[in-house]
Amino acid sequence: MKIYSHEIQDEKDILSARDRVRLICEELGFDVTQQLQVTTSVFELGKNILEHGGGGSISFSLITDDDTFLLEVEGNDQGPGLTEEKQEELLQSKGSSQTALRGIAAMKRLMDSIAIESEPGQGTTIRLQKRKPVASKNLARNVVDFLQKKFSSRQNPTLSEELRMQNLNLVQTLSLYEEKNQELETTNKELLDLKHQLEESNAELHNRTAELQEALLSLGDRTTEFAAQNRRFFSLLRHIPFGVVITDRSGLVSLANENFYTLFQTNEEEFTGKTRSEFLSFLGQCSVLSEAEWTKIFVSMDEEPQKEYTFQLTVSQAKTKTIECRTIPIQNGDKRIYGRLWFFEGQS
């Protein structure tokens, strides 16, 4: 026989349901300890509905069993439901010294029986029962009728009832405050840990910034040094008494000096950027070697790029001016080749 039902959508609804069950317990003759056990269980049941189901309802019913009746509290939530394994785990778990005061563990300890019914995706129902011996079933029915009428007509509690409700509210509020305080302490600890991590990261970033600044200063010095070397290099190219050409690893002409342009009657605009094939073809047209001999040198440069080569060229078809060409590889200490240097010296 259902006595009362209450929707649970926020914490105020939990407090209202708890106050109703306290009044029910008073009318049924439960002692103060039993009242506190039932109201605490309802409070934990309401929190469980909000936390795991996002909302639901709590109802109170009276069940007779020979000379005993049972106050049954049923909580229904709208959550994702539980598997059979999870239900069994919750019912068998005794909880730690801290968790035994909250949730399912507290309901098991405070009530005479607990049952869980749930299916994944169908929400969860939790039933709690508290026993109370009575003289007859008729008394139970009369109590139910009385409580139903009382709740339907009840508007304002008496002063003593209001004080009792305030005291009970204070106890439950303090319990809630303690729980929230523990959550805040945990959050504060996590924030402190995060702060330490940020401080360590900032220190590391500071060190990396200092290293980067040193690297930038060193790079600036190297850039200045390279600029000075480039100025000396181009000055040398201008004043060296013979023609010079620099080709990169692929054979592309990247640089030539004025003496080379003078010797071969060409200019920078026409010559710079010639491919390896174009450059060697240009030299082949000036070579005093036969086509077969020149092709042999051409192939040898591919097969043995680390070797030095020397050959004769002429500038004009009359061959009145002979030019000696010498080419050497550009390589580092590990013998890695980066290109070639070509030297051209005119001979009258």
Side-chain angles (χ1 to χ4, degrees):
M1 293 176 285
K2 183 175 291 189
I3 300 173
Y4 181 71
S5 180
H6 197 91
E7 292 293 321
I8 303 296
Q9 299 299 329
D10 54 35
E11 292 186 357
K12 290 182 180 180
D13 293 331
I14 297 175
L15 297 178
S16 297
R18 181 203 58 192
D19 292 340
R20 290 299 187 186
V21 78
R22 181 181 56 79
L23 293 176
I24 292 174
C25 289
E26 284 183 355
E27 297 296 343
L28 294 176
F30 285 108
D31 59 32
V32 175
T33 301
Q34 293 171 325
Q35 292 178 31
L36 185 57
Q37 290 172 340
V38 175
T39 54
T40 301
S41 297
V42 169
F43 184 76
E44 292 299 328
L45 180 59
K47 289 199 301 180
N48 188 77
I49 289 173
L50 285 183
E51 181 178 353
H52 299 290
S57 65
I58 294 179
S59 61
F60 309 110
S61 302
L62 202 58
I63 302 173
T64 58
D65 182 14
D66 295 330
D67 60 347
T68 302
F69 65 74
L70 305 173
L71 175 62
E72 183 174 83
V73 180
E74 181 178 300
N76 296 284
D77 68 37
Q78 304 162 359
L82 303 171
T83 62
E84 292 183 3
E85 291 79 6
K86 185 62 176 178
Q87 295 175 46
E88 187 67 22
E89 178 186 342
L90 290 173
L91 291 174
Q92 296 297 328
S93 175
K94 295 182 179 180
S96 63
S97 57
Q98 293 183 344
T99 57
L101 301 177
R102 300 193 299 270
I104 300 293
M107 299 179 216
K108 287 172 55 180
R109 185 172 58 85
L110 297 173
M111 300 296 279
D112 293 330
S113 66
I114 180 172
I116 301 176
E117 295 180 6
S118 180
E119 292 182 10
Q122 301 297 321
T124 301
T125 297
I126 297 178
R127 290 189 179 87
L128 310 173
Q129 291 183 345
K130 198 71 171 177
R131 294 181 176 275
K132 173 68 178 177
V134 294
S136 67
K137 295 182 180 180
N138 290 331
L139 175 59
R141 295 191 185 93
N142 293 336
V143 169
V144 171
D145 292 338
F146 169 74
L147 288 173
Q148 289 175 339
K149 292 178 181 178
K150 183 172 184 176
F151 287 142
S152 63
S153 61
R154 185 181 179 88
Q155 294 181 350
N156 297 316
T158 64
L159 180 59
S160 61
E161 291 173 340
E162 182 65 28
L163 288 174
R164 283 197 298 271
M165 283 192 293
Q166 289 179 2
N167 288 335
L168 192 55
N169 287 343
L170 179 59
V171 171
Q172 297 288 4
T173 301
L174 288 174
S175 174
L176 184 61
Y177 170 78
E178 182 180 357
E179 183 178 336
K180 295 296 183 183
N181 188 51
Q182 290 177 353
E183 293 177 0
L184 286 175
E185 288 178 355
T186 301
T187 302
N188 286 336
K189 185 178 182 304
E190 292 174 353
L191 288 174
L192 284 175
D193 292 341
L194 180 59
K195 178 185 176 184
H196 293 324
Q197 293 175 9
L198 288 174
E199 289 175 349
E200 292 175 357
S201 298
N202 286 336
E204 184 178 355
L205 180 61
H206 179 75
N207 293 334
R208 292 293 179 85
T209 301
E211 293 174 0
L212 180 60
Q213 289 175 343
E214 291 179 3
L216 289 175
L217 290 174
S218 176
L219 180 61
D221 294 340
R222 295 293 298 276
T223 301
T224 302
E225 181 181 344
F226 287 149
Q229 290 178 355
N230 284 338
R231 287 195 296 271
R232 291 193 294 269
F233 175 71
F234 283 109
S235 176
L236 176 65
L237 281 181
R238 284 194 302 272
H239 296 92
I240 200 167
F242 40 80
V244 177
V245 172
I246 299 175
T247 57
D248 63 16
R249 187 181 305 171
S250 67
L252 187 73
V253 175
S254 57
L255 185 65
N257 69 353
E258 289 295 331
N259 282 335
F260 173 81
Y261 297 136
T262 301
L263 282 172
F264 288 92
Q265 301 175 9
T266 184
N267 56 60
E268 179 179 3
E269 188 173 311
E270 293 180 356
F271 197 78
T272 301
K274 281 185 178 296
T275 64
R276 178 176 182 276
S277 178
E278 292 172 339
F279 178 49
L280 294 179
S281 177
F282 171 81
L283 296 180
Q285 294 173 5
C286 303
S287 175
V288 298
L289 301 174
S290 66
E291 183 176 351
E293 291 174 320
W294 178 249
T295 301
K296 183 177 179 180
I297 292 178
F298 192 103
V299 173
S300 179
M301 286 183 185
D302 286 332
E303 295 175 346
E304 299 180 280
Q306 74 281 2
K307 287 185 61 176
E308 178 181 331
Y309 297 89
T310 302
F311 44 85
Q312 300 292 321
L313 303 173
T314 58
V315 173
S316 64
Q317 293 180 350
K319 300 184 180 180
T320 57
K321 192 169 188 179
T322 302
I323 298 174
E324 182 177 281
C325 175
R326 185 166 64 95
T327 176
I328 60 175
I330 303 172
Q331 52 190 348
N332 60 10
D334 297 331
K335 303 299 182 180
R336 184 178 182 184
I337 296 176
Y338 291 94
R340 298 192 73 85
L341 272 174
W342 302 75
F343 299 98
F344 301 88
E345 186 174 4
Q347 298 175 357
S348 300

